[in-house]
Amino acid sequence: MMQLSELKKAMKGVFVVQITPFNKDGSLDLEGMRANTRWLAERMSGKDFVFVPLGSTGEFYAMSDDECKAVIKMVVEEVNGRLPVLAGTARAGTRETIKMCQYAESVGADGVQVVLPYYHVPQEEGMYQHYKQIAESINIGIMVYNNPAASGSWIKPALMAKLAKIPNIIAVKENTTSIASYYLMQRTVDPKDAVILCGLAERMFSFEALYGCPGFISYAANFAPDLSYSIYEAAAAKDFNKVAELVNSMAPFFSFMAKVTANHGPDTGVTGIEAEPVMFISATKAAMDILGLRGGEVRLPLTGINEKEKAELAIILKAMKIAK
């Protein structure tokens, strides 16, 4: 387990939100996830790379506490201190979140990712106390997952600056779709307290990197970690032409996801809350299967892509030189 000061320095680079593979009968494919974790840990060892099991992409909300605990324990064991592990531990209420955070600490996770409390939208004092009590219950780092699409809430910059003064709140996974809001958040929160990371993957990072964003959370890194890492390296070198070139190279995959989303639509989202259609999880799992990793099935209420779409994706990945 990393010391807090060491972990704060490691809050940069590519943060992979790991998918959780499920078998065709719906059961957890823990050994498949172990294989995926081992592959990533060996490939990315020594780089600015962070594991985030049980984020939104990991479908934690559709899993039992026992399943979540098994995943956290396994990822910590497989990574074995080579790279940081921030386990997703959020629940809708504070008490249950604390229990899962304490479990993550007990098995050696370096920190936790805690998405905003969902279902009920709290007042600012309730939000502050939620994170304050979580922080006081553990001695490891916390990344606040500021995701309005998942929670119906958003921690505004002034409140985030206050939360960041709590010693073990060290990072923010910021999911605003507004560059202006990201800029204000980054300018308001003292960088000595917490870093403001890009929560919306490679495309949004290409804009936020201009303002010194130190890293991004990625689902594509599950199957194309080298490409994701090249984007981070280009941004760190301030080679923004290269960043644009690399992000544009992902366009066929983004176009595929848009097509799949339309094929399986309409969704049930409400207007006014911008969120990436969740078919990206199904597409990511299919890409992993194509590459010989363990993608597996999604759990309801998510739905998977069909065989025709998987065949099209295989051709796209080959053209992108991700698959052979």
Side-chain angles (χ1 to χ4, degrees):
M1 190 186 297
M2 296 175 76
Q3 294 296 315
L4 194 60
S5 58
E6 188 184 357
L7 185 64
K8 284 184 81 166
K9 292 175 186 173
M11 292 295 97
K12 60 183 179 180
V14 177
F15 293 63
V16 60
V17 275
Q18 291 182 271
I19 67 99
T20 307
F22 301 112
N23 296 306
K24 289 197 179 296
D25 65 1
S27 60
L28 172 65
D29 181 9
L30 190 65
E31 291 312 303
M33 191 169 184
R34 185 187 300 279
N36 295 339
T37 302
R38 188 174 298 165
W39 179 77
L40 279 171
E42 289 171 356
R43 199 176 193 95
M44 306 310 288
S45 184
K47 298 184 177 180
D48 296 332
F49 195 83
V50 179
F51 284 83
V52 187
L54 301 176
S56 306
T57 303
E59 300 173 76
F60 76 91
Y61 53 83
M63 297 168 62
S64 70
D65 283 357
D66 284 346
E67 287 175 324
C68 288
K69 288 177 178 179
V71 164
I72 293 169
K73 188 171 186 289
M74 179 277 294
V75 172
V76 170
E77 287 172 352
E78 278 300 325
V79 174
N80 195 26
R82 286 176 284 181
L83 295 161
V85 176
L86 300 181
T89 50
R91 298 294 182 266
T94 308
R95 289 168 65 96
E96 295 306 309
T97 303
I98 285 172
K99 289 178 188 176
M100 195 58 71
C101 290
Q102 289 173 333
Y103 176 80
E105 181 176 20
S106 75
V107 295
D110 301 293
V112 292
Q113 173 184 274
V114 182
V115 73
L116 307 181
Y118 43 92
Y119 196 86
H120 281 148
V121 175
Q123 303 302 108
E124 285 208 336
E125 180 59 23
M127 187 72 81
Y128 178 75
Q129 290 298 330
H130 175 73
Y131 281 101
K132 182 173 181 286
Q133 290 192 21
I134 292 167
E136 289 172 348
S137 74
I138 55 176
N139 296 303
I140 55 176
I142 297 171
M143 178 164 71
V144 176
Y145 185 6
N146 204 16
N147 188 339
S151 65
S153 304
W154 188 61
I155 297 177
K156 299 179 183 71
L159 179 58
M160 193 66 81
K162 182 181 175 185
L163 279 169
K165 293 295 178 189
I166 298 171
N168 52 339
I169 293 181
I170 60 171
V172 178
K173 178 183 175 183
E174 181 50 70
N175 267 46
T176 179
T177 55
S178 163
I179 291 295
S181 296
Y182 174 84
Y183 181 78
L184 183 59
M185 183 70 75
Q186 195 189 54
R187 299 294 294 179
T188 304
V189 175
D190 189 332
K192 294 194 296 291
D193 295 332
V195 297
I196 312 300
L197 299 160
C198 173
L200 290 173
E202 289 82 358
R203 278 180 293 183
M204 199 68 175
F205 175 70
S206 66
F207 296 97
E208 294 175 4
L210 287 165
Y211 300 103
C213 180
F216 61 94
I217 286 75
S218 171
Y219 58 84
N222 279 284
F223 63 90
D226 298 327
L227 175 56
S228 297
Y229 201 78
S230 293
I231 292 169
Y232 161 67
E233 286 185 311
K238 302 194 184 309
D239 186 350
F240 296 111
N241 288 333
K242 186 68 174 177
V243 171
E245 177 190 327
L246 290 166
V247 171
N248 286 338
S249 77
M250 300 177 75
F253 183 72
F254 298 143
S255 296
F256 172 78
M257 285 198 299
K259 181 180 176 181
V260 165
T261 298
N263 289 349
H264 293 262
D267 65 31
T268 57
V270 295
T271 56
I273 297 179
E274 294 184 62
E276 186 155 28
V278 292
M279 291 305 296
F280 80 87
I281 298 175
S282 305
T284 298
K285 288 189 166 186
M288 293 176 73
D289 285 336
I290 290 164
L291 293 169
L293 298 165
R294 301 280 277 273
E297 307 297 318
V298 292
R299 276 185 179 172
L300 284 170
L302 300 189
T303 53
I305 67 174
N306 60 41
E307 293 305 315
K308 182 181 176 184
E309 289 163 338
K310 288 176 184 177
E312 183 181 346
L313 178 57
I315 293 167
I316 290 168
L317 293 175
K318 199 169 183 179
M320 292 172 67
K321 296 183 170 55
I322 293 172
K324 293 180 180 178

